[in-house]
């Protein structure tokens, strides 16, 4: 398995492991390009909640994908 496939699998698993609210906010903001205000409106949450959800999602993804930093998993 090449590094790209391995990283893709790790990212898919990491996204699936996120709490639903964190995953949805992250997907809308980071992947779909919605502003945080738009994410709040779409999800029915506050701007503050969106910021927390996206921050926590990013932290968990960074932690989960940490082994891939520097080009090779450990």
């Amino acid at each position: 398995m090449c590094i790209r496939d391995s990283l893709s699998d790790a990212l898919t698993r990491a996204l699936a492991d996120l709490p639903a609210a964190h995953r949805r906010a992250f997907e809308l903001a980071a992947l779909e390009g919605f502003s945080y205000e738009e994410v709040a409106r779409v999800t029915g949450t506050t701007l503050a909640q969106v910021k927390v959800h996206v921050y926590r999602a990013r932290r968990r993804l960074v932690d989960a994908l940490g082994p891939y930093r520097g080009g090779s998993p450990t």
Side-chain angles (χ1 to χ4, degrees), residues 3-68:
I3 186 76
R4 184 178 303 171
D5 291 340
S6 182
L7 179 58
S8 178
D9 290 346
L11 178 58
T12 299
R13 283 191 308 274
L15 283 168
D17 288 343
L18 292 174
H22 296 181
R23 182 175 51 253
R24 182 72 173 139
F26 176 81
E27 288 173 342
L28 289 171
L31 304 179
E32 300 290 332
F34 284 46
S35 70
Y36 284 8
E37 292 83 3
E38 290 170 320
V39 175
R41 198 168 35 257
V42 168
T43 60
T45 60
T46 66
L47 180 59
Q49 287 173 316
V50 170
K51 290 178 181 180
V52 168
H53 291 165
V54 172
Y55 173 81
R56 289 181 179 167
R58 287 182 187 202
R59 288 299 323 144
R60 287 187 62 175
L61 291 172
V62 165
D63 290 345
L65 301 177
Y68 295 89

